[in-house]
Amino acid sequence: MAYRHIIGRQTHVFEDLRELMAKATPARSGDRLAGLAAGSAEEAVAARMALAELPLSTFLAEALVPYEADEVTRLILDSHDRAAFAPVASLTVGDFRDWLLSDEATTSALARLAPGITPEMAAAVCKIMRLQDLIAVARKCRVVTRFRNTIGLPGTMAVRLQPNHPSDDPRGILASMCEGLAFGCGDAVIGINPVSDNLAVLGDLLKLLDELITRLEIPTQGCVLTHVTSSIELIGRGAPVDLVFQSVAGTEAANRSFGIDLAVLREGHEAGRSLKRGTLGANLMYFETGQGSALSAEAHHGVDQQTLEARAYAVCRAFDPLLVNTVVGFIGPEYLYDGKQITRAGLEDHFCGKLMGLPMGCDVCYTNHAEADQDDMDALLTLLGAAGVTYVMGVPGADDVMLNYQSTSFHDQLYIRDLLGLKRAPEFEAWLAAHGLTEADGRLAAKPGEGRLLASLAELAA
């Protein structure tokens, strides 16, 4: 079905819903690389105006990726909650934007609505929103998850402590973990990206995390971010796996390029649940995503990268995850060219994930060959903090020496907490205070009373 919009004497024609969605997307290098972007600013405006007039229900009748050929499409449509969708079923995309920004769209109303919002609906309304709209609506969305602590409560922001090492050296990893804990990081997860995929090495890293968390009684969870099939094998061998990790994308073909499908994810989820390692809850999946992954795998079906990113969130939503984050600038300038595009994408991803009911975080990051710098990351971190982001990364010096990209540091999370008054997960906050690492107000202690803590860390390092 073709869609049209007239501006002056010019009639703009969009051959199908995929073209309409792609040309309504704010400019980014990935869509241009794929030949999907609008050819002019006028065409982009025409596409957004036509999109605003489109009934939301269109996305239940017209699949962007064919139902018969894609299990992600089947998941989206077969699991759609029509009862949850009913309050907005009669709205157009433009009407939906207005409703989201209204006082009627309360936190509780948005929570009830989430199961009824498909990724394509979220992506469509996102395309006609300004940054302030994305921030204002996302801030109203609250998603609370639990494993060994409580993540996502109002007024809180968690941090993933990311102690990567270029040779998986346990002592180097432990040194970064100690520093991160001393800065009050780690309530989201202590998560290691391993260099090796050797199961023995992965098992040793899991034991290191488990010993640290157990010996110090830290109310948090550990994760070695290896392939889900490796986690399944390690669980079978009795390894202490807390969270099961996997990178996911928005089409079946893109997920196949990652070596996964929904059945494998279900197997990983069940394997993780069988260990019953959570003390407060059973949210145990950790997913990472990022705009451009389907394009880089040549698996985009002619759909724009922002819509495909939102479709990845449908995969995440099916498994009740503890954590989801977009690694927003990691894929590179071929997909998000500069700081402006990275900033927009980070806020889009956070908005769409939260609207769909996910505990959405963001790796505020860029690669060294992108037209971006740490000023851009400061701006995005601040905007995400205002938007109620669930968690961000804590990387030593903001420079990941294993993955070779720039992220946010242990110091950066102190800035945003101080600026916006954001607390940590309450159980983790209490642990820090009990060890004299923070004051009663959550600020780092001027003279940390960490004697027992340091002694225990020294024993581990030895």
Side-chain angles (χ1 to χ4, degrees), residues 191-229:
I192 304 168
N193 293 96
V195 177
S196 175
D197 60 2
N198 180 279
L199 291 177
V201 173
L202 300 176
D204 287 344
L205 293 177
L206 284 166
K207 291 173 185 175
L208 175 67
L209 284 170
D210 183 57
E211 187 173 0
L212 177 78
I213 291 170
T214 301
R215 181 177 295 195
L216 301 182
E217 300 179 323
I218 310 173
T220 191
Q221 35 284 326
C223 184
V224 174
L225 281 69
T226 187
H227 195 272
V228 61
T229 55

Side-chain angles (χ1 to χ4, degrees), residues 171-459:
R171 296 189 66 173
I173 289 170
L174 184 60
S176 292
M177 288 195 289
C178 296
E179 182 185 14
L181 289 169
F183 274 93
C185 297
D187 48 346
V189 63
I190 304 175
I192 304 168
N193 293 96
V195 177
S196 175
D197 60 2
N198 180 279
L199 291 177
V201 173
L202 300 176
D204 287 344
L205 293 177
L206 284 166
K207 291 173 185 175
L208 175 67
L209 284 170
D210 183 57
E211 187 173 0
L212 177 78
I213 291 170
T214 301
R215 181 177 295 195
L216 301 182
E217 300 179 323
I218 310 173
T220 191
Q221 35 284 326
C223 184
V224 174
L225 281 69
T226 187
H227 195 272
V228 61
T229 55
S230 295
S231 293
I232 293 168
E233 178 65 24
L234 287 161
I235 290 169
R237 296 184 180 191
V241 175
D242 287 345
L243 305 188
V244 176
F245 169 81
Q246 184 56 49
S247 295
V248 297
T251 69
E252 179 179 344
N255 282 326
R256 195 181 306 123
S257 75
F258 290 155
I260 62 165
D261 56 22
L262 296 178
V264 169
L265 293 178
R266 281 191 284 270
E267 184 180 355
H269 186 224
E270 289 306 310
R273 287 177 64 89
S274 71
L275 297 181
K276 298 180 180 178
R277 291 176 61 83
T279 55
L280 295 184
N283 302 115
L284 57 82
M285 298 299 285
Y286 176 13
F287 294 112
E288 286 190 342
T289 67
Q291 289 193 27
S293 58
L295 174 57
S296 68
E298 298 183 354
H300 59 87
H301 295 272
V303 179
D304 67 273
Q305 66 183 40
Q306 188 260 321
T307 299
L308 291 178
E309 171 72 3
R311 283 171 55 93
Y313 302 153
V315 175
C316 301
R317 183 167 61 178
F319 297 95
D320 298 319
L322 180 75
L323 304 166
V324 179
N325 72 261
T326 168
V327 192
V328 65
F330 184 73
I331 300 182
E334 300 84 0
Y335 306 95
L336 295 169
Y337 179 72
D338 57 15
K340 181 179 178 66
Q341 292 188 11
I342 292 170
T343 297
R344 170 84 197 186
L347 292 170
E348 288 172 346
D349 297 349
H350 178 252
F351 163 83
C352 288
K354 281 288 188 66
L355 189 62
M356 292 173 61
L358 289 175
M360 201 70 198
C362 183
D363 191 343
V364 179
C365 64
Y366 64 99
T367 57
N368 290 313
H369 64 311
E371 291 295 322
D373 58 27
Q374 213 63 38
D375 285 344
D376 296 308
M377 299 305 100
D378 286 348
L380 178 53
L381 175 63
T382 305
L383 294 172
L384 284 167
V389 70
T390 300
Y391 70 105
V392 295
M393 306 298 131
V395 177
D399 182 5
D400 193 302
V401 294
M402 193 281 280
L403 292 172
N404 195 30
Y405 79 118
Q406 310 304 311
S407 185
T408 45
S409 73
F410 301 148
H411 299 76
D412 292 334
Q413 56 91 24
L414 295 177
Y415 146 73
I416 200 68
R417 291 191 195 286
D418 187 57
L419 181 71
L420 300 176
L422 297 172
K423 303 294 185 182
R424 300 170 182 86
E427 301 86 356
F428 190 80
E429 189 102 289
W431 180 85
L432 290 171
H435 285 81
L437 295 173
T438 58
E439 307 290 357
D441 61 1
R443 293 174 181 265
L444 293 186
K447 295 182 179 180
E450 52 187 7
R452 185 172 68 84
L453 180 65
L454 286 177
S456 295
L457 293 174
E459 288 178 26

Side-chain angles (χ1 to χ4, degrees), residues 85-104:
F85 179 59
V88 298
S90 64
L91 301 183
T92 65
V93 173
D95 292 335
F96 186 42
R97 171 191 174 275
D98 293 342
W99 182 83
L100 288 171
L101 291 167
S102 75
D103 291 339
E104 292 180 47

